[in-house]
Amino acid sequence: MGLEDRDALRVLRDAFRQGDPAEPNELVRRFYDQWFALDVPVRDLFPPEMDAQRAAFAQAMHWVYGELVDQRADEPVAFLAQLGRDHRKYGVLPSQYQTMRRALFSTLRTHLGSAWTDSVHAAADQSLHLITGVMSGAADSDEGPAWWDATVVEHTRVSRDLAVVRLHLDRPLAYHAGQYVNVQVPQCPRRWRYLSPAIPHDPEGRIEFHVRVVPGGLVSNAIVSETRPGDRWRLAGPHGGLRVDRDGSDVLMVAGSTGLSPLRALIMDLSRYAENPRVHLFYGARYRCELYDLQTLWQVAAHNPWLSVSPVSEYRRDPSWAADYPDVSPPRGLHVHQIGRLADVVTKYGGWGDRQILICGGPAMVNATKAALVAKGAPPERIQHDPLSR
C-alpha cells in the first residue's frame, strides 16, 4: 500500500520523534554518519557542530510523516519544494539527493529492526522517493538565484547586546514585509541563521536587520560584536507568512526585543496607505533602554493615526551600563510606558479576540503571550507567529 498505509507511516513517523532536546535522535545521528561515509563531499556542506541540524531534520521529518499519516500531502509537498529550493544555497548536487535517500533508507531499516516489515519497507521506499524527488525537482526547476550577496554599510551597537545592521544588496531581493530570510556571515561560514528584515522590500537593494545576542550563539555574537562595514554577507530566499489583512479587523501586535523587526516592516509597509485597520503595538524588553527603536515608532505613529504604541519593560530602572548607549526615550505623545511581563500587560486589557493578532519574539515570550491570550478568549486561529524552531 505504501503511502496509503497509515500504520506503516506511523512507524516511520515515530522513528523521528525527538525526545529530550539535549539528546539527539539516534536514528538521525546514524543517518548523517552513514550519509557522510557514503558521499564524503556532503560533509563540507554542513557546519562543524551538527546538533542543531540534526534536531531540525528530526523535527521536519516527524512533521512530514505526521502529515502523510493524516493523508494530507499538499502542505508537505509545498514544504519540501521550498526546502529543495532553499538548499540550493548550500551547493547541493542532484546526485546528493540520491545518496541521501539511500543512506536514510538503510539507516531506517537497521534502526527499526524487527519493526521493519514488508509494509514499512514499501512505505519507506515510496515516501523517501517522494521527499527527495520533490526537493530535487523543485531545486532544478527554480530559475531564480540560489543566494544574494550584500555589503554591510552600517553597524550600530544600540545596546549592550543589540545591533542594527544595514546592508546594500548586489541585486534586490524580493520579499514580503513580515517574512524572514536565511543569512550567512563571513565570521561563521556554513552556519546559516534566519533573520527578519526590519524594512519592507527596497527596489534599490537596501535591507536592515536588528540582531540580539543569543547566549552561546556564535552567529549572533559575531553579528553584534564583530561585524564591520565592508563585510560581505550572503542571503537566501524568504520564508514565512506573517501578514496583515488590510480589509480585515483591527490589529494587535506584540513584539519582544528584536522580534520587533518583522512587525516594524509590516507597519512601514502599511504606512504607504492612507487607510488601514487600527494597529496597537505592545513593544517590550527587559529594560527601558533596550526599547531601541521607540524614536522611529513615535515618528511613524505621529504621522499615521491608525497606529498606537505601548512601550513595556520588565524592570522599572535601567542598569548602570545604559549610560554607554543612546537615550531611547521618545518625545511626549507615545503611550504611557508600562512595567511587567508582556503577556501580563497585554492581557490586562482583555483577550483581544476581535483582532488580527501577530506575536514576534523569543519562543518563551511567544508561547506565554499566546497562552495568556487564548486563556482570555482569543481564538487560536486568529493568532499568527513564525515557527518557533526557525
Side-chain angles (χ1 to χ4, degrees):
M1 294 176 64
L3 292 177
E4 296 179 359
D5 190 333
R6 294 190 179 190
D7 290 335
L9 290 169
R10 285 190 187 95
V11 173
L12 298 172
R13 178 199 63 191
D14 293 345
F16 289 100
R17 189 183 303 278
Q18 183 79 359
D20 184 349
E23 296 293 331
N25 181 288
E26 182 63 19
L27 163 66
V28 172
R29 187 189 65 77
R30 290 180 180 177
F31 155 65
Y32 278 109
D33 289 346
Q34 183 158 343
W35 190 18
F36 296 159
L38 182 65
D39 196 341
V40 175
V42 169
R43 182 64 185 91
D44 292 335
L45 305 178
F46 293 91
E49 63 287 326
M50 288 290 294
D51 288 351
Q53 173 66 32
R54 293 190 190 102
F57 183 78
Q59 183 179 39
M61 293 296 288
H62 186 266
W63 177 80
V64 167
Y65 274 111
E67 293 293 291
L68 294 178
V69 166
D70 293 334
Q71 299 295 291
R72 294 192 295 259
D74 289 349
E75 286 194 34
V77 167
F79 168 79
L80 292 166
Q82 179 60 51
L83 204 60
R85 289 189 290 269
D86 197 43
H87 271 57
R88 293 183 305 145
K89 68 179 182 288
Y90 297 115
V92 178
L93 301 174
S95 61
Q96 290 167 335
Y97 284 107
Q98 300 309 311
T99 58
M100 172 189 172
R101 180 183 59 78
R102 286 163 52 197
L104 194 47
F105 184 88
S106 174
T107 309
L108 276 166
R109 182 173 56 195
T110 302
H111 179 80
L112 290 173
S114 60
W116 185 265
T117 62
D118 289 344
S119 58
V120 172
H121 178 113
D125 183 56
Q126 292 184 26
S127 60
L128 293 179
H129 271 96
L130 171 69
I131 290 167
T132 57
V134 170
M135 291 179 66
S136 179
D140 289 343
S141 63
D142 195 333
E143 298 179 354
W147 60 74
W148 289 256
D149 289 323
T151 302
V152 175
V153 296
E154 185 178 342
H155 176 276
T156 306
R157 194 78 171 261
V158 295
S159 185
R160 185 171 62 171
D161 57 359
L162 290 164
V164 173
V165 186
R166 297 184 176 95
L167 304 98
H168 195 277
L169 291 146
D170 293 354
R171 51 188 169 186
L173 165 62
Y175 61 88
H176 299 298
Q179 289 191 298
Y180 52 91
V181 299
N182 225 350
V183 173
Q184 179 184 242
V185 301
Q187 294 85 355
C188 301
R190 303 199 306 277
R191 294 182 176 94
W192 291 81
R193 294 295 183 270
Y194 287 117
L195 297 177
S196 297
I199 60 174
H201 162 69
D202 176 53
E204 300 299 318
R206 291 177 290 253
I207 195 166
E208 177 178 319
F209 298 105
H210 301 174
V211 183
R212 180 176 180 176
V213 169
V214 176
L218 293 174
V219 177
S220 62
N221 274 279
I223 292 174
V224 173
S225 303
E226 301 173 24
T227 295
R228 298 291 181 269
D231 284 357
R232 294 284 286 171
W233 286 22
R234 178 159 287 180
L235 284 65
H239 300 264
L242 282 182
R243 60 184 295 272
V244 171
D245 180 2
R246 292 186 55 247
D247 297 320
S249 59
D250 291 340
V251 183
L252 168 68
M253 294 183 175
V254 185
S257 186
T258 52
L260 174 68
S261 295
L263 302 183
R264 180 187 195 266
L266 282 165
I267 287 170
M268 288 184 167
D269 190 54
L270 289 171
S271 67
R272 298 183 298 129
Y273 304 97
E275 295 185 8
N276 287 303
R278 289 182 302 160
V279 176
H280 194 110
L281 169 67
F282 286 89
Y283 171 35
R286 293 170 303 180
Y287 303 105
R288 185 191 298 255
C289 65
E290 292 180 320
L291 298 170
Y292 61 94
D293 212 34
L294 279 180
Q295 292 280 353
T296 301
L297 294 171
W298 181 85
Q299 291 171 9
V300 176
H303 294 89
N304 294 277
W306 47 264
L307 175 64
S308 55
V309 180
S310 292
V312 180
S313 63
E314 293 186 30
Y315 301 102
R316 191 172 298 277
R317 294 183 179 179
D318 282 339
S320 58
W321 51 257
D324 297 334
Y325 298 95
D327 180 13
V328 299
S329 301
R332 291 183 180 275
L334 208 65
H335 274 54
V336 175
H337 178 270
Q338 300 182 63
I339 306 298
R341 294 169 63 250
L342 265 174
D344 297 334
V345 173
V346 171
T347 53
K348 180 172 67 176
Y349 297 95
W352 304 86
D354 60 339
R355 307 292 179 103
Q356 303 177 61
I357 302 174
L358 289 76
I359 310 174
C360 294
M365 186 282 288
V366 172
N367 280 327
T369 305
K370 182 177 181 179
L373 286 166
V374 171
K376 281 279 190 173
E381 62 272 14
R382 295 183 69 88
I383 300 176
Q384 301 179 54
H385 59 80
D386 283 328
L388 299 182
S389 60
R390 71 180 174 91

